[in-house]
Amino acid sequence: MYQEKERPRWQNMLLSCSGIIVFLAIWQFVVSSGIVSTDKLVAPYTLCMTFIDKLSNVVPDGNTILVHIATSLKLVLAGFLLSCLIGVPLGLLMGFFKTFQALFSPIFEIVRPIPPLAWIPIVIVVFGIGMKSELFIIFVAAFVPCVINSYTGIQSTDPALLNVAKTAGASRMQMFFKVGVPSALPMVFVGIKVSFGSAWATLVAAEMIASSVGLGYMIQQGRQASRPDIVLLGMLVIGIIGGVLTGLLGLLEKKVIPWKKH
């Protein structure tokens, strides 16, 4: 199979920047030329001006954009980290020890098919509208990918490695920590990345319904006020923050599992 020669990092960065510049130029042209009305789509320059304005202007959503960003980040990171702290160990234990699988698998299989947003009505009844409701919904959305990928990763451990460890006199717990967990780490990080994406997507939907602050709430208020610039600004900020944090997760993955071919 043909493999393309690996480019220097600076060339990849240049290509990435070029793609973004071309995309923005086309976007600006489509709006400036009148192909799409400014009532439906605003130009990148207008979005920049809206961002600067929202640094101090609380209209139409009641808060500046920095407040919305801080609130959303705090919620998504709290729910995401909580799901990783519980979901990853649970998935690993379920995949390696039959006792844990028998104990938790039935409950997980019942919860897993339920869409995260389906929890919103009952969560609002229990916790009311606010941070607790959003945190729970984000946790549920991020929890499932963590468990599934951790479970799949440790289940895929090479039996030959386990047999060698067993022959060397390793206990079941030693086999778990020294063979199973390292073998599962690549899939664990896949699950963590998917979990983070699910957390962001669910956060926005939850804030549209059960919040009075946050980027999702800002988007909803922008829609109700017929402000496409507010809506697009919220979407763009979510995309940029999500991209940056996903990149940081990629760097963490390289540090934790340097033996994986990236």
Side-chain angles (χ1 to χ4, degrees):
M1 183 177 178
Y2 173 74
Q3 291 186 344
E4 187 179 357
K5 184 179 179 181
E6 188 175 353
R7 298 188 185 91
R9 181 175 296 181
W10 69 268
Q11 287 188 4
N12 289 327
M13 292 182 62
L14 183 61
L15 285 171
S16 299
C17 293
S18 298
I20 294 173
I21 291 172
V22 170
F23 172 75
L24 292 175
I26 294 173
W27 180 0
Q28 183 73 41
F29 172 77
V30 166
V31 177
S32 300
S33 62
I35 296 176
V36 178
S37 172
T38 54
D39 293 334
K40 299 177 180 179
L41 181 67
V42 296
Y45 175 78
T46 305
L47 278 185
C48 291
M49 294 298 101
T50 301
F51 174 77
I52 294 172
D53 179 62
K54 281 296 293 176
L55 291 173
S56 57
N57 192 350
V58 299
V59 177
D61 42 76
N63 286 287
T64 65
I65 192 167
L66 294 180
V67 173
H68 290 305
I69 291 173
T71 302
S72 293
L73 264 179
K74 180 169 65 175
L75 277 170
V76 79
L77 290 178
F80 167 70
L81 292 174
L82 185 62
S83 70
C84 290
L85 289 174
I86 298 175
V88 170
L90 179 61
L92 293 173
L93 292 170
M94 285 172 55
F96 200 82
F97 298 101
K98 292 183 178 180
T99 301
F100 280 92
Q101 184 176 7
L103 184 62
F104 293 106
S105 183
I107 300 173
F108 179 73
E109 290 300 326
I110 292 172
V111 173
R112 181 167 67 94
I114 303 174
L117 298 184
W119 291 90
I120 289 179
I122 190 169
V123 168
I124 290 178
V125 171
V126 175
F127 297 113
I129 294 178
M131 294 181 66
K132 290 182 180 179
S133 298
E134 297 165 63
L135 184 61
F136 179 84
I137 295 166
I138 293 165
F139 168 77
V140 171
F143 175 74
V144 172
C146 282
V147 175
I148 291 176
N149 282 271
S150 300
Y151 176 89
T152 304
I154 204 163
Q155 283 264 303
S156 303
T157 303
D158 189 347
L161 297 176
L162 295 173
N163 289 333
V164 170
K166 188 175 181 181
T167 303
S171 65
R172 187 68 175 166
M173 194 61 68
Q174 288 175 324
M175 291 164 62
F176 172 73
F177 282 108
K178 294 186 178 181
V179 180
V181 172
S183 176
L185 281 178
M187 279 296 294
V188 168
F189 269 95
V190 171
I192 288 174
K193 290 177 182 178
V194 174
S195 172
F196 181 71
S198 300
W200 258 125
T202 306
L203 167 75
V204 173
E207 285 181 337
M208 287 181 174
I209 300 171
S211 179
S212 57
V213 64
L215 291 170
Y217 178 77
M218 186 182 84
I219 291 173
Q220 176 73 350
Q221 293 302 304
R223 184 190 68 82
Q224 293 181 354
S226 298
R227 290 281 303 275
D229 56 333
I230 296 293
V231 174
L232 286 172
L233 178 61
M235 293 169 60
L236 187 61
V237 169
I238 289 169
I240 291 173
I241 294 175
V244 170
L245 293 180
T246 300
L248 292 177
L249 283 175
L251 293 176
L252 178 62
E253 181 181 10
K254 290 181 180 180
K255 293 291 184 182
V256 175
I257 45 176
W259 64 86
K260 179 186 174 184
K261 187 176 181 179
H262 297 276

